[in-house]
């Protein structure tokens, strides 16, 4: 694969919860993001390959192949690629501290930004009480979530036919539900406490499919989001500053500037 020369280069990029192997994965969006964005450090922060979904039903298309090909190519060309395992790709955890074609497998790492701040990088399922103490409930929730994503895909096909860009119905419903909001808040505070206990400046994680950057009691909590609902990544600029890239919004904004009036927006799932 030829790497797109029309890309934005960052110091670091974090992506997680791509769920390759599940029908909910927005593989086309993810491939487009990777082709247009590059970095010296690339962190794959868990749930990249969805082992849970693949065990139930095999699903793998050409976009999935191209994504893996690009990731291996980046690693071989000098990008420091680190794969931090999550709960859906926990089959990799026995192989931590090993490498697969220049991609390092880890359970957690500490990243130092250009301005000297230290961040704990992990998926986050280790601090999810449901995952730790009621795994059956997590599996049930995953099944319900998959059904919701099916509805989300049908909804977005209708939006595309009407000329509207991608919008995540599932993310909207989740973030409007009080119990989900409370869970997210508790999760964020728990991880921030862990970073503070380790005397680090912040934490970078995934797991809950909710991109966020906020200060919690002097610790910078960062979540890079997901690629089944919101299509987001966390990036580090060359001065060490961090921000979330919302790829569908970025592509839609570019389309509004570059496309003639009435031209359908690209990448509307």
């Amino acid at each position: 694969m030829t790497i797109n020369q029309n890309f934005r280069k960052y110091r670091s990029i974090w992506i997680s919860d791509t769920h390759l192997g599940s029908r909910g994965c927005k593989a086309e969006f993810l491939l487009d993001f990777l082709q247009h964005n590059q970095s010296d450090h690339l962190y794959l922060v868990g749930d990249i390959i969805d082992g849970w979904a693949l065990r139930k039903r095999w699903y793998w298309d050409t976009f999935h192949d191209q994504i893996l090909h690009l990731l291996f190519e980046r690693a071989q060309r000098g990008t420091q690629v680190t794969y931090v395992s999550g709960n859906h790709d926990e089959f990799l955890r026995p192989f931590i501290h090993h490498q697969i074609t220049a991609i390092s497998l880890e359970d957690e790492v500490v990243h130092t930004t250009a301005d000297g701040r230290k961040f704990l990088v992990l998926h986050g399922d280790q601090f999810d009480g449901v995952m730790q103490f009621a795994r059956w409930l997590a599996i049930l929730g995953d099944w319900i979530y998959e059904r919701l994503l099916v509805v989300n895909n049908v909804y977005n096909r209708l939006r595309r036919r009407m000329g509207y860009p991608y919008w995540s119905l599932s993310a909207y419903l989740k973030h409007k539900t009080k119990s989900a909001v409370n869970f997210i808040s508790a999760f964020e505070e728990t991880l921030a406490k862990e970073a503070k206990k380790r005397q680090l400046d912040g934490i970078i994680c995934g797991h809950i499919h909710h991109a966020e950057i906020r200060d919690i009691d002097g610790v910078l909590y960062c979540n890079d989001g997901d690629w089944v609902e919101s299509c987001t990544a966390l990036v580090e600029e060359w001065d060490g500053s961090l921000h979330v890239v919302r790829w569908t919004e970025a592509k839609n904004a570019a389309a509004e500037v570059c496309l003639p009036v009435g031209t359908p927006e690209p990448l509307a799932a």
Side-chain angles (χ1 to χ4, degrees):
M1 177 183 296
T2 301
I3 294 178
N4 192 321
Q5 297 302 311
N6 230 347
F7 57 73
R8 171 81 184 271
K9 187 163 186 180
Y10 297 98
R11 185 172 185 268
S12 308
I13 294 175
W14 292 263
I15 60 174
S16 76
D17 298 273
T18 62
H19 291 275
L20 295 172
S22 74
R23 292 185 180 275
C25 172
K26 299 294 184 294
E28 184 177 356
F29 288 78
L30 176 59
L31 179 62
D32 187 65
F33 171 80
L34 291 171
Q35 289 175 332
H36 288 86
N37 297 273
Q38 201 176 45
S39 58
D40 283 355
H41 306 273
L42 174 59
Y43 292 93
L44 310 174
V45 194
D47 288 3
I48 302 302
I49 298 174
D50 194 330
W52 292 14
L54 289 173
R55 281 196 297 268
K56 290 184 290 185
R57 178 181 61 251
W58 185 264
Y59 176 77
W60 200 269
D61 62 18
T62 56
F63 291 119
H64 289 60
D65 283 334
Q66 291 178 70
I67 289 166
L68 290 187
H69 188 179
L70 189 149
L71 292 173
F72 285 126
E73 185 179 22
R74 291 272 169 91
Q76 292 171 334
R77 290 190 177 199
T79 300
Q80 184 178 328
V81 182
T82 305
Y83 192 138
V84 177
S85 53
N87 50 300
H88 282 257
D89 45 23
E90 60 191 354
F91 59 89
L92 292 172
R93 285 182 168 159
F95 306 103
I96 62 170
H97 309 317
H98 289 75
Q99 284 195 339
I100 300 178
T101 317
I103 296 178
S104 300
L105 301 178
E106 303 291 346
D107 205 34
E108 61 178 50
V109 293
V110 173
H111 173 81
T112 303
T113 59
D115 54 5
R117 292 177 295 167
K118 293 186 181 297
F119 285 79
L120 177 63
V121 181
L122 46 68
H123 181 63
D125 60 295
Q126 305 93 324
F127 297 89
D128 180 346
V130 173
M131 277 300 307
Q132 295 303 310
F133 305 110
R135 188 178 176 85
W136 66 270
L137 186 58
I139 294 171
L140 174 62
D142 185 65
W143 183 86
I144 295 171
Y145 182 62
E146 285 183 355
R147 305 287 82 73
L148 181 58
L149 289 177
V150 170
V151 175
N152 186 72
N153 288 337
V154 172
Y155 172 73
N156 271 286
R157 281 198 292 271
L158 292 174
R159 284 178 62 87
R160 179 177 60 188
R161 289 172 185 170
M162 293 187 290
Y164 293 109
Y166 175 82
W167 183 74
S168 180
L169 172 65
S170 53
Y172 174 80
L173 293 174
K174 182 173 69 176
H175 299 149
K176 289 297 182 180
T177 303
K178 184 177 180 180
S179 59
V181 172
N182 291 341
F183 170 80
I184 289 171
S185 179
F187 177 85
E188 293 173 346
E189 291 172 4
T190 298
L191 267 70
K193 287 178 182 177
E194 179 65 18
K196 190 166 189 175
K197 183 173 74 175
R198 301 194 194 190
Q199 299 182 326
L200 298 171
D201 299 292
I203 192 159
I204 298 170
C205 62
H207 188 53
I208 59 172
H209 295 201
H210 181 64
E212 181 76 277
I213 299 178
R214 70 184 182 104
D215 182 276
I216 302 177
D217 194 23
V219 171
L220 191 62
Y221 167 88
C222 305
N223 192 304
D224 56 30
D226 69 281
W227 289 86
V228 295
E229 295 179 41
S230 51
C231 300
T232 55
L234 180 73
V235 299
E236 178 192 359
E237 301 285 359
W238 294 97
D239 62 357
S241 58
L242 302 170
H243 64 91
V244 171
V245 173
R246 302 181 184 277
W247 191 239
T248 55
E249 293 179 11
K251 295 297 289 186
N252 291 331
E256 290 177 4
V257 172
C258 300
L259 294 179
V261 174
T263 304
E265 291 87 342
L267 294 178

